[in-house]
Amino acid sequence: MSCRRRNMPRRKRGQDSMDNLDQPGTSKTVSGTKRAKTLTTEPIDYARLAQEIVKIQQSTNSEVSSPSLAGENEPAKTLSKSMVQSNTQPKGSGLPETQSQLPEQSSSSQQGNESPSTIETVVSQLLSSSAGSLPVHASVKSTANTHSTGLFENLNPQACQLLAAALSNSTKASYKRTWDMFFLEYPTINSLPITATVLSNFIAQLFSKGYSPSSISSHVSAISYVHKILSVPDPAEAFLVRKILQGCYHSAPNKDSRLPITAPILLKLVKGLSSSVQNLYTRILLKSVFLLAFNAFLRLGEIVIKSKNEQSKVIQRDDVTFQFQHKTPCAVTIVLKNFKTNKTNDLFQINLEASGNEDMCPVQSLWLYLKTFSHESGPLFQFVGGEPVTYAFVTKNLQNTIRFIGLNPALYKGHSFRIGAATHAAHLGYSENCIQKMGRWKSDAVRRYIRLQSFTV
Protein backbone atom coordinates (compact mmCIF):
# COMPACT_ATOMS: atom_id res chain seq x y z
CA MET A 1 0.00 0.00 0.00
CA SER A 2 1.68 3.13 -1.10
CA CYS A 3 1.52 6.41 0.74
CA ARG A 4 0.94 9.56 -1.25
CA ARG A 5 2.40 12.80 0.17
CA ARG A 6 0.08 15.66 -0.17
CA ASN A 7 1.83 18.63 -1.67
CA MET A 8 1.63 21.52 0.77
CA PRO A 9 2.22 25.12 -0.37
CA ARG A 10 5.46 26.91 0.58
CA ARG A 11 4.76 29.40 3.29
CA LYS A 12 5.60 33.02 2.61
CA ARG A 13 8.23 34.77 4.75
CA GLY A 14 6.61 36.34 7.77
CA GLN A 15 3.38 34.40 7.31
CA ASP A 16 3.80 32.51 10.56
CA SER A 17 4.30 35.68 12.55
CA MET A 18 1.15 37.22 11.12
CA ASP A 19 -0.94 34.03 11.45
CA ASN A 20 0.10 33.38 15.04
CA LEU A 21 -0.01 37.04 16.16
CA ASP A 22 -1.31 36.83 19.76
CA GLN A 23 -3.79 34.04 18.74
CA PRO A 24 -4.12 30.70 20.49
CA GLY A 25 -5.12 28.97 17.24
CA THR A 26 -3.27 28.46 13.99
CA SER A 27 -4.18 29.20 10.41
CA LYS A 28 -3.28 27.47 7.15
CA THR A 29 -3.54 28.43 3.49
CA VAL A 30 -4.41 26.22 0.58
CA SER A 31 -2.56 26.77 -2.68
CA GLY A 32 -4.10 26.79 -6.10
CA THR A 33 -6.31 29.81 -5.58
CA LYS A 34 -5.53 33.50 -5.67
CA ARG A 35 -7.33 34.05 -2.39
CA ALA A 36 -6.10 32.42 0.79
CA LYS A 37 -8.64 30.26 2.54
CA THR A 38 -8.40 30.44 6.32
CA LEU A 39 -8.85 27.18 8.17
CA THR A 40 -9.17 27.90 11.86
CA THR A 41 -11.58 27.10 14.57
CA GLU A 42 -11.22 30.42 16.45
CA PRO A 43 -12.07 33.92 15.13
CA ILE A 44 -9.30 36.49 14.48
CA ASP A 45 -9.16 39.60 16.67
CA TYR A 46 -9.17 42.19 13.87
CA ALA A 47 -9.07 45.12 16.27
CA ARG A 48 -5.89 43.80 17.86
CA LEU A 49 -4.42 43.10 14.44
CA ALA A 50 -5.16 46.65 13.32
CA GLN A 51 -3.41 48.04 16.39
CA GLU A 52 -0.28 46.02 15.64
CA ILE A 53 -0.28 47.14 12.01
CA VAL A 54 -0.52 50.79 13.10
CA LYS A 55 2.41 50.28 15.47
CA ILE A 56 4.51 48.79 12.68
CA GLN A 57 3.62 51.69 10.36
CA GLN A 58 4.46 54.27 13.02
CA SER A 59 7.80 52.57 13.67
CA THR A 60 8.62 52.58 9.96
CA ASN A 61 7.49 56.16 9.41
CA SER A 62 9.56 57.46 12.34
CA GLU A 63 12.74 56.45 10.52
CA VAL A 64 11.92 58.47 7.40
CA SER A 65 9.56 61.10 8.72
CA SER A 66 10.30 64.82 8.86
CA PRO A 67 12.35 66.10 11.82
CA SER A 68 9.32 67.89 13.27
CA LEU A 69 7.47 64.55 13.67
CA ALA A 70 10.47 62.80 15.13
CA GLY A 71 10.97 65.56 17.66
CA GLU A 72 7.47 65.22 19.09
CA ASN A 73 8.13 61.85 20.70
CA GLU A 74 11.51 62.39 22.30
CA PRO A 75 13.42 65.16 24.09
CA ALA A 76 15.53 67.41 21.87
CA LYS A 77 19.15 66.47 22.45
CA THR A 78 20.44 67.11 18.95
CA LEU A 79 20.21 69.82 16.33
CA SER A 80 17.51 68.42 14.04
CA LYS A 81 18.08 67.87 10.37
CA SER A 82 15.51 70.53 9.56
CA MET A 83 17.98 73.17 10.77
CA VAL A 84 20.35 72.35 7.93
CA GLN A 85 18.58 72.14 4.61
CA SER A 86 19.18 73.11 1.02
CA ASN A 87 18.30 76.52 -0.36
CA THR A 88 16.44 75.07 -3.34
CA GLN A 89 12.67 74.85 -3.26
CA PRO A 90 10.63 72.16 -5.02
CA LYS A 91 8.75 73.46 -7.98
CA GLY A 92 5.19 74.27 -7.19
CA SER A 93 5.80 74.47 -3.47
CA GLY A 94 4.22 77.90 -3.31
CA LEU A 95 7.02 79.24 -1.13
CA PRO A 96 9.20 82.25 -2.08
CA GLU A 97 12.77 81.49 -3.03
CA THR A 98 14.04 83.85 -0.30
CA GLN A 99 13.04 81.50 2.49
CA SER A 100 13.52 77.80 3.05
CA GLN A 101 10.47 75.72 3.82
CA LEU A 102 10.17 75.24 7.55
CA PRO A 103 8.39 72.36 9.25
CA GLU A 104 5.91 73.41 11.90
CA GLN A 105 6.99 72.44 15.37
CA SER A 106 4.65 72.07 18.30
CA SER A 107 5.45 74.04 21.43
CA SER A 108 5.38 70.90 23.52
CA SER A 109 5.39 67.19 22.83
CA GLN A 110 2.49 64.88 23.40
CA GLN A 111 4.30 63.27 26.32
CA GLY A 112 5.33 66.54 28.00
CA ASN A 113 8.89 66.61 26.63
CA GLU A 114 10.67 69.85 25.68
CA SER A 115 10.29 71.22 22.18
CA PRO A 116 13.09 70.57 19.67
CA SER A 117 16.14 72.82 19.83
CA THR A 118 15.93 75.88 17.60
CA ILE A 119 18.71 77.57 15.70
CA GLU A 120 18.47 80.43 18.22
CA THR A 121 19.44 78.02 20.97
CA VAL A 122 22.40 76.75 19.01
CA VAL A 123 23.60 80.29 18.25
CA SER A 124 23.29 81.18 21.92
CA GLN A 125 25.40 78.17 22.85
CA LEU A 126 28.06 78.85 20.24
CA LEU A 127 28.38 82.53 21.18
CA SER A 128 28.14 82.06 24.93
CA SER A 129 31.01 83.39 27.04
CA SER A 130 31.05 80.09 28.95
CA ALA A 131 33.17 77.32 27.44
CA GLY A 132 30.99 74.64 28.98
CA SER A 133 27.95 75.75 27.05
CA LEU A 134 29.19 74.56 23.67
CA PRO A 135 26.73 72.12 22.06
CA VAL A 136 29.16 69.22 22.22
CA HIS A 137 26.42 66.69 21.60
CA ALA A 138 24.62 68.67 18.95
CA SER A 139 24.29 66.81 15.69
CA VAL A 140 24.53 68.92 12.56
CA LYS A 141 23.69 66.88 9.49
CA SER A 142 24.07 68.12 5.97
CA THR A 143 21.44 67.43 3.35
CA ALA A 144 24.01 65.56 1.28
CA ASN A 145 24.79 63.09 4.04
CA THR A 146 21.97 62.63 6.51
CA HIS A 147 23.83 59.89 8.35
CA SER A 148 26.95 61.93 9.16
CA THR A 149 28.07 62.08 12.76
CA GLY A 150 27.55 65.16 14.90
CA LEU A 151 29.90 68.07 14.38
CA PHE A 152 30.82 68.46 18.04
CA GLU A 153 29.93 65.12 19.58
CA ASN A 154 33.44 63.71 19.08
CA LEU A 155 35.28 66.74 20.50
CA ASN A 156 36.94 66.18 23.84
CA PRO A 157 36.56 68.77 26.64
CA GLN A 158 39.92 70.39 25.85
CA ALA A 159 38.97 70.87 22.20
CA CYS A 160 35.67 72.43 23.28
CA GLN A 161 37.48 74.87 25.55
CA LEU A 162 39.86 75.85 22.75
CA LEU A 163 36.94 76.41 20.41
CA ALA A 164 35.22 78.57 23.00
CA ALA A 165 38.43 80.60 23.44
CA ALA A 166 38.75 81.28 19.70
CA LEU A 167 36.65 84.42 20.07
CA SER A 168 36.96 87.05 22.77
CA ASN A 169 33.97 87.67 25.01
CA SER A 170 33.44 91.09 23.43
CA THR A 171 33.37 89.55 19.94
CA LYS A 172 30.94 86.87 21.07
CA ALA A 173 28.67 89.53 22.56
CA SER A 174 28.85 91.53 19.34
CA TYR A 175 28.06 88.47 17.20
CA LYS A 176 25.19 87.58 19.52
CA ARG A 177 23.67 91.06 19.10
CA THR A 178 23.83 90.60 15.33
CA TRP A 179 21.90 87.31 15.48
CA ASP A 180 19.36 88.84 17.86
CA MET A 181 18.77 91.57 15.27
CA PHE A 182 18.49 88.96 12.54
CA PHE A 183 15.95 86.85 14.45
CA LEU A 184 13.95 89.99 15.15
CA GLU A 185 13.73 90.69 11.43
CA TYR A 186 13.16 87.04 10.43
CA PRO A 187 11.43 85.29 13.36
CA THR A 188 10.20 82.35 11.26
CA ILE A 189 13.62 81.25 10.02
CA ASN A 190 14.73 78.21 11.95
CA SER A 191 17.19 76.51 9.63
CA LEU A 192 20.66 76.84 8.19
CA PRO A 193 21.99 77.87 5.81
CA ILE A 194 20.05 81.06 5.27
CA THR A 195 19.82 82.06 1.64
CA ALA A 196 21.95 84.72 -0.02
CA THR A 197 18.75 86.63 -0.79
CA VAL A 198 17.73 86.75 2.87
CA LEU A 199 21.19 87.96 3.88
CA SER A 200 21.15 90.59 1.13
CA ASN A 201 17.78 91.87 2.35
CA PHE A 202 19.13 91.97 5.90
CA ILE A 203 22.08 94.07 4.70
CA ALA A 204 19.71 96.44 2.92
CA GLN A 205 17.65 96.85 6.10
CA LEU A 206 20.76 97.71 8.10
CA PHE A 207 21.83 100.24 5.48
CA SER A 208 18.38 101.87 5.47
CA LYS A 209 18.63 102.26 9.25
CA GLY A 210 21.83 104.28 8.91
CA TYR A 211 24.47 101.67 9.72
CA SER A 212 27.88 102.41 8.21
CA PRO A 213 29.35 100.01 5.64
CA SER A 214 32.05 98.90 8.09
CA SER A 215 29.42 98.12 10.74
CA ILE A 216 27.37 96.17 8.20
CA SER A 217 30.47 94.15 7.26
CA SER A 218 30.91 93.27 10.94
CA HIS A 219 27.32 92.04 11.12
CA VAL A 220 27.86 89.91 8.01
CA SER A 221 30.95 88.42 9.66
CA ALA A 222 28.80 87.34 12.61
CA ILE A 223 26.37 85.57 10.28
CA SER A 224 29.26 84.00 8.38
CA TYR A 225 31.01 82.72 11.52
CA VAL A 226 28.09 80.55 12.65
CA HIS A 227 27.68 79.03 9.19
CA LYS A 228 31.38 78.22 8.92
CA ILE A 229 31.67 76.75 12.41
CA LEU A 230 28.69 74.47 11.69
CA SER A 231 30.19 73.44 8.32
CA VAL A 232 27.23 74.62 6.25
CA PRO A 233 27.39 76.78 3.11
CA ASP A 234 28.21 80.39 3.96
CA PRO A 235 25.84 82.87 2.26
CA ALA A 236 28.37 85.66 2.78
CA GLU A 237 30.53 84.05 0.10
CA ALA A 238 27.83 84.45 -2.52
CA PHE A 239 28.60 86.87 -5.34
CA LEU A 240 25.25 88.60 -4.76
CA VAL A 241 26.05 89.35 -1.12
CA ARG A 242 29.54 90.64 -1.92
CA LYS A 243 28.12 93.01 -4.53
CA ILE A 244 25.44 94.23 -2.13
CA LEU A 245 28.18 95.03 0.39
CA GLN A 246 30.17 96.81 -2.27
CA GLY A 247 27.10 98.87 -3.08
CA CYS A 248 26.90 99.92 0.59
CA TYR A 249 30.40 101.38 0.41
CA HIS A 250 29.66 103.17 -2.85
CA SER A 251 26.32 104.54 -1.67
CA ALA A 252 27.26 105.60 1.85
CA PRO A 253 27.45 109.36 2.37
CA ASN A 254 30.88 110.81 2.98
CA LYS A 255 31.18 111.44 6.71
CA ASP A 256 34.94 111.91 6.92
CA SER A 257 35.42 114.07 10.00
CA ARG A 258 39.23 114.02 9.85
CA LEU A 259 40.76 117.45 9.52
CA PRO A 260 44.01 118.14 7.62
CA ILE A 261 47.25 118.78 9.42
CA THR A 262 48.22 121.91 7.53
CA ALA A 263 51.68 123.48 7.47
CA PRO A 264 50.92 125.88 10.36
CA ILE A 265 49.55 123.00 12.47
CA LEU A 266 52.54 120.84 11.57
CA LEU A 267 54.90 123.58 12.79
CA LYS A 268 53.03 123.72 16.10
CA LEU A 269 53.24 119.93 16.39
CA VAL A 270 56.99 119.85 15.82
CA LYS A 271 57.60 122.57 18.39
CA GLY A 272 55.13 120.99 20.81
CA LEU A 273 57.08 117.71 20.89
CA SER A 274 59.69 119.29 23.17
CA SER A 275 57.01 119.68 25.85
CA SER A 276 54.71 116.72 25.22
CA VAL A 277 57.50 114.10 24.85
CA GLN A 278 60.23 113.86 27.49
CA ASN A 279 62.61 111.41 25.79
CA LEU A 280 65.04 113.09 23.34
CA TYR A 281 65.31 110.02 21.07
CA THR A 282 61.52 109.76 20.83
CA ARG A 283 61.28 113.43 19.89
CA ILE A 284 63.83 113.00 17.08
CA LEU A 285 61.98 109.92 15.81
CA LEU A 286 58.50 111.47 15.89
CA LYS A 287 59.62 114.71 14.25
CA SER A 288 61.07 112.77 11.34
CA VAL A 289 57.91 110.66 11.00
CA PHE A 290 55.64 113.73 11.04
CA LEU A 291 57.66 115.73 8.49
CA LEU A 292 58.20 112.80 6.14
CA ALA A 293 54.53 111.76 6.15
CA PHE A 294 53.44 115.32 5.34
CA ASN A 295 56.00 116.22 2.66
CA ALA A 296 55.94 112.85 0.86
CA PHE A 297 52.11 112.43 0.84
CA LEU A 298 52.57 109.18 2.75
CA ARG A 299 50.00 107.04 4.46
CA LEU A 300 51.19 106.45 8.00
CA GLY A 301 50.93 102.70 7.43
CA GLU A 302 53.55 102.96 4.68
CA ILE A 303 56.30 103.95 7.13
CA VAL A 304 55.28 102.35 10.47
CA ILE A 305 53.85 98.88 11.00
CA LYS A 306 50.35 98.01 12.19
CA SER A 307 51.25 94.38 12.93
CA LYS A 308 54.42 92.31 13.19
CA ASN A 309 53.93 90.60 9.83
CA GLU A 310 54.09 93.97 8.02
CA GLN A 311 57.77 94.67 8.65
CA SER A 312 58.70 93.99 5.02
CA LYS A 313 55.81 96.07 3.64
CA VAL A 314 56.88 99.44 5.04
CA ILE A 315 59.72 101.58 3.69
CA GLN A 316 63.09 99.95 4.42
CA ARG A 317 66.40 101.54 5.31
CA ASP A 318 67.82 100.39 1.97
CA ASP A 319 65.07 102.30 0.15
CA VAL A 320 66.45 105.67 1.30
CA THR A 321 69.37 107.46 -0.41
CA PHE A 322 70.77 110.92 0.40
CA GLN A 323 72.46 113.46 -1.88
CA PHE A 324 75.05 115.76 -0.31
CA GLN A 325 76.44 119.17 -0.98
CA HIS A 326 79.57 120.06 0.98
CA LYS A 327 78.91 117.08 3.26
CA THR A 328 75.46 118.39 4.07
CA PRO A 329 72.37 116.45 2.90
CA CYS A 330 70.59 118.49 0.27
CA ALA A 331 68.06 115.93 -0.98
CA VAL A 332 66.73 112.45 -0.29
CA THR A 333 65.31 109.82 -2.64
CA ILE A 334 62.84 107.25 -1.32
CA VAL A 335 61.79 104.20 -3.34
CA LEU A 336 58.26 103.16 -2.44
CA LYS A 337 57.58 99.52 -3.26
CA ASN A 338 54.36 98.80 -1.39
CA PHE A 339 51.44 101.17 -1.42
CA LYS A 340 47.66 100.84 -1.56
CA THR A 341 47.05 101.46 -5.27
CA ASN A 342 50.09 99.51 -6.52
CA LYS A 343 48.44 96.58 -8.30
CA THR A 344 51.31 95.87 -10.71
CA ASN A 345 54.26 95.93 -8.25
CA ASP A 346 55.68 99.08 -9.81
CA LEU A 347 58.26 101.22 -8.00
CA PHE A 348 57.41 104.79 -7.09
CA GLN A 349 60.23 107.23 -6.48
CA ILE A 350 59.84 110.20 -4.13
CA ASN A 351 62.34 113.07 -4.27
CA LEU A 352 62.49 115.60 -1.45
CA GLU A 353 64.78 118.63 -1.38
CA ALA A 354 66.11 120.29 1.75
CA SER A 355 64.63 123.60 2.84
CA GLY A 356 66.20 126.51 4.68
CA ASN A 357 63.81 126.10 7.63
CA GLU A 358 65.51 123.65 9.98
CA ASP A 359 62.34 123.10 12.01
CA MET A 360 60.34 122.03 8.95
CA CYS A 361 62.97 120.38 6.71
CA PRO A 362 62.17 116.65 6.18
CA VAL A 363 65.64 115.94 4.72
CA GLN A 364 67.63 117.26 7.66
CA SER A 365 65.21 115.71 10.16
CA LEU A 366 65.49 112.26 8.55
CA TRP A 367 69.28 112.55 8.36
CA LEU A 368 69.49 113.43 12.07
CA TYR A 369 67.27 110.49 12.94
CA LEU A 370 69.40 107.98 10.98
CA LYS A 371 72.64 109.34 12.46
CA THR A 372 71.18 109.05 15.97
CA PHE A 373 69.75 105.53 15.63
CA SER A 374 72.45 104.28 13.21
CA HIS A 375 70.71 101.16 11.86
CA GLU A 376 71.55 100.06 8.33
CA SER A 377 68.88 97.42 7.57
CA GLY A 378 65.29 96.57 8.27
CA PRO A 379 62.38 99.04 8.44
CA LEU A 380 63.30 102.69 8.10
CA PHE A 381 61.83 103.67 11.47
CA GLN A 382 63.02 101.60 14.41
CA PHE A 383 63.41 102.08 18.13
CA VAL A 384 66.86 102.14 19.73
CA GLY A 385 66.59 98.41 20.46
CA GLY A 386 65.87 97.57 16.82
CA GLU A 387 62.12 96.96 17.12
CA PRO A 388 60.02 98.50 14.32
CA VAL A 389 58.05 101.59 15.24
CA THR A 390 54.35 100.80 15.46
CA TYR A 391 51.33 102.68 14.16
CA ALA A 392 49.78 102.71 17.64
CA PHE A 393 52.89 104.31 19.15
CA VAL A 394 52.92 107.17 16.62
CA THR A 395 49.18 107.88 16.80
CA LYS A 396 49.22 107.88 20.61
CA ASN A 397 51.96 110.51 20.70
CA LEU A 398 50.23 112.43 17.91
CA GLN A 399 47.04 112.63 19.97
CA ASN A 400 48.94 113.81 23.04
CA THR A 401 50.72 116.54 21.08
CA ILE A 402 47.52 117.62 19.31
CA ARG A 403 45.90 118.00 22.71
CA PHE A 404 48.93 119.91 24.02
CA ILE A 405 48.75 122.55 21.28
CA GLY A 406 45.07 123.12 22.02
CA LEU A 407 43.31 121.18 19.24
CA ASN A 408 40.70 118.44 19.41
CA PRO A 409 42.49 115.05 19.14
CA ALA A 410 39.27 113.40 17.91
CA LEU A 411 39.50 115.40 14.67
CA TYR A 412 43.13 114.65 13.77
CA LYS A 413 44.26 111.13 12.88
CA GLY A 414 47.28 109.56 11.25
CA HIS A 415 45.74 110.13 7.82
CA SER A 416 45.50 113.86 8.55
CA PHE A 417 49.12 114.26 7.33
CA ARG A 418 48.14 113.00 3.87
CA ILE A 419 44.98 115.13 3.80
CA GLY A 420 47.05 118.13 4.86
CA ALA A 421 49.64 117.50 2.14
CA ALA A 422 46.97 117.50 -0.60
CA THR A 423 45.34 120.60 0.86
CA HIS A 424 48.68 122.42 1.19
CA ALA A 425 49.64 121.57 -2.41
CA ALA A 426 46.31 122.91 -3.68
CA HIS A 427 46.82 126.09 -1.66
CA LEU A 428 50.22 126.54 -3.33
CA GLY A 429 48.57 126.34 -6.75
CA TYR A 430 49.31 122.76 -7.86
CA SER A 431 46.72 121.30 -10.22
CA GLU A 432 44.45 118.46 -9.19
CA ASN A 433 46.10 116.18 -11.74
CA CYS A 434 49.55 116.93 -10.31
CA ILE A 435 48.39 116.35 -6.74
CA GLN A 436 46.83 113.06 -7.81
CA LYS A 437 50.18 111.85 -9.21
CA MET A 438 52.21 113.00 -6.19
CA GLY A 439 49.84 111.25 -3.81
CA ARG A 440 49.50 108.11 -5.97
CA TRP A 441 45.71 108.37 -6.25
CA LYS A 442 44.20 106.32 -9.07
CA SER A 443 40.81 108.03 -9.08
CA ASP A 444 39.12 111.32 -8.35
CA ALA A 445 39.15 110.39 -4.65
CA VAL A 446 41.85 113.05 -4.34
CA ARG A 447 39.08 115.64 -4.37
CA ARG A 448 37.96 114.52 -0.93
CA TYR A 449 41.46 115.27 0.40
CA ILE A 450 41.65 118.85 -0.76
CA ARG A 451 40.16 120.99 2.02
CA LEU A 452 40.89 124.56 0.97
CA GLN A 453 38.26 125.78 3.39
CA SER A 454 40.73 124.90 6.15
CA PHE A 455 42.83 127.93 5.17
CA THR A 456 42.15 131.52 6.10
CA VAL A 457 42.39 133.63 2.97
Side-chain angles (χ1 to χ4, degrees):
M1 183 176 179
S2 61
C3 296
R4 298 175 62 185
R5 177 184 295 179
R6 184 177 179 179
N7 294 329
M8 300 297 295
R10 179 179 299 175
R11 298 185 64 80
K12 297 181 181 180
R13 181 179 300 176
Q15 186 70 40
D16 289 339
S17 60
M18 293 297 297
D19 291 342
N20 298 319
L21 189 60
D22 295 331
Q23 299 295 331
T26 60
S27 61
K28 299 180 181 180
T29 59
V30 180
S31 63
T33 61
K34 294 183 180 180
R35 290 184 303 171
K37 183 177 181 181
T38 304
L39 302 177
T40 180
T41 59
E42 297 184 8
I44 298 176
D45 189 345
Y46 287 101
R48 184 65 178 273
L49 178 60
Q51 292 179 359
E52 295 298 331
I53 292 175
V54 170
K55 289 182 179 180
I56 294 174
Q57 291 177 344
Q58 289 179 343
S59 175
T60 304
N61 291 339
S62 64
E63 297 178 359
V64 296
S65 62
S66 63
S68 59
L69 295 176
E72 293 178 354
N73 296 321
E74 58 183 5
K77 296 182 179 180
T78 62
L79 177 62
S80 62
K81 188 172 64 179
S82 65
M83 297 181 187
V84 183
Q85 53 186 321
S86 65
N87 293 333
T88 59
Q89 301 294 336
K91 294 184 178 180
S93 63
L95 292 175
E97 294 181 358
T98 58
Q99 182 174 331
S100 299
Q101 186 174 3
L102 302 175
E104 295 183 358
Q105 297 182 354
S106 60
S107 58
S108 61
S109 66
Q110 297 177 355
Q111 300 179 359
N113 293 329
E114 297 179 359
S115 60
S117 298
T118 64
I119 193 63
E120 291 187 59
T121 303
V122 176
V123 170
S124 297
Q125 291 175 333
L126 283 174
L127 302 179
S128 172
S129 58
S130 174
S133 64
L134 281 175
V136 180
H137 299 291
S139 177
V140 181
K141 299 179 181 180
S142 65
T143 54
N145 182 10
T146 57
H147 300 287
S148 60
T149 58
L151 182 64
F152 302 110
E153 62 184 4
N154 294 323
L155 293 181
N156 58 38
Q158 182 64 51
C160 293
Q161 292 179 2
L162 294 174
L163 178 59
L167 296 179
S168 65
N169 289 337
S170 60
T171 302
K172 291 178 183 177
S174 177
Y175 282 7
K176 181 63 169 57
R177 286 193 295 270
T178 297
W179 278 97
D180 289 342
M181 294 169 57
F182 179 81
F183 291 134
L184 187 63
E185 295 289 342
Y186 302 96
T188 60
I189 289 185
N190 191 29
S191 62
L192 289 182
I194 65 175
T195 65
T197 306
V198 169
L199 182 55
S200 298
N201 290 337
F202 181 59
I203 293 172
Q205 291 170 349
L206 293 177
F207 185 82
S208 64
K209 292 179 180 179
Y211 285 83
S212 66
S214 59
S215 297
I216 294 175
S217 296
S218 299
H219 289 304
V220 173
S221 297
I223 300 293
S224 175
Y225 174 80
V226 172
H227 282 76
K228 289 179 178 178
I229 206 69
L230 294 179
S231 296
V232 294
D234 181 12
E237 298 295 332
F239 183 79
L240 172 65
V241 174
R242 289 190 281 113
K243 284 301 176 183
I244 293 291
L245 276 176
Q246 186 177 356
C248 290
Y249 281 94
H250 291 171
S251 304
N254 183 20
K255 296 182 180 180
D256 191 354
S257 60
R258 298 170 299 185
L259 293 179
I261 294 179
T262 60
I265 295 177
L266 181 61
L267 179 59
K268 292 181 180 180
L269 281 176
V270 171
K271 292 184 176 181
L273 287 173
S274 59
S275 300
S276 63
V277 179
Q278 297 181 354
N279 187 279
L280 175 61
Y281 291 96
T282 303
R283 291 200 299 268
I284 294 174
L285 187 154
L286 290 172
K287 179 182 178 181
S288 181
V289 170
F290 290 174
L291 292 176
L292 185 61
F294 178 86
N295 287 276
F297 290 78
L298 292 172
R299 300 174 179 88
L300 204 54
E302 293 170 344
I303 50 179
V304 291
I305 65 170
K306 292 184 177 181
S307 60
K308 292 183 178 181
N309 59 355
E310 294 183 351
Q311 295 189 28
S312 61
K313 297 181 180 180
V314 297
I315 296 176
Q316 304 292 301
R317 175 63 183 89
D318 296 339
D319 299 329
V320 178
T321 305
F322 287 90
Q323 290 81 47
F324 297 89
Q325 186 176 8
H326 306 296
K327 298 183 180 180
T328 301
C330 60
V332 62
T333 300
I334 301 174
V335 177
L336 191 59
K337 301 174 181 176
N338 300 290
F339 50 95
K340 184 177 180 179
T341 56
N342 188 12
K343 306 299 182 182
T344 56
N345 295 324
D346 294 331
L347 301 180
F348 189 89
Q349 185 170 295
I350 301 173
N351 298 304
L352 299 177
E353 295 184 357
S355 65
N357 188 344
E358 184 177 351
D359 290 334
M360 297 289 286
C361 180
V363 178
Q364 295 182 24
S365 177
L366 184 59
W367 175 248
L368 175 61
Y369 159 74
L370 290 175
K371 284 181 59 179
T372 304
F373 286 73
S374 66
H375 62 280
E376 297 181 357
S377 62
L380 174 60
F381 289 103
Q382 302 178 19
F383 294 110
V384 176
E387 290 293 324
V389 177
T390 63
Y391 190 96
F393 174 81
V394 173
T395 54
K396 179 181 178 180
N397 283 276
L398 173 63
Q399 298 296 296
N400 292 337
T401 311
I402 285 288
R403 186 181 294 106
F404 176 79
I405 64 176
L407 298 177
N408 185 357
L411 301 178
Y412 296 91
K413 309 295 181 181
H415 217 58
S416 293
F417 290 108
R418 183 169 165 84
I419 300 174
T423 304
H424 183 67
H427 179 68
L428 295 177
Y430 286 90
S431 67
E432 182 180 305
N433 184 51
C434 184
I435 296 174
Q436 182 176 345
K437 292 181 178 179
M438 290 189 294
R440 307 172 303 283
W441 282 284
K442 296 297 184 180
S443 66
D444 58 0
V446 64
R447 297 175 182 175
R448 300 198 303 266
Y449 286 74
I450 299 176
R451 316 280 179 84
L452 289 179
Q453 64 271 21
S454 300
F455 287 93
T456 302
V457 181

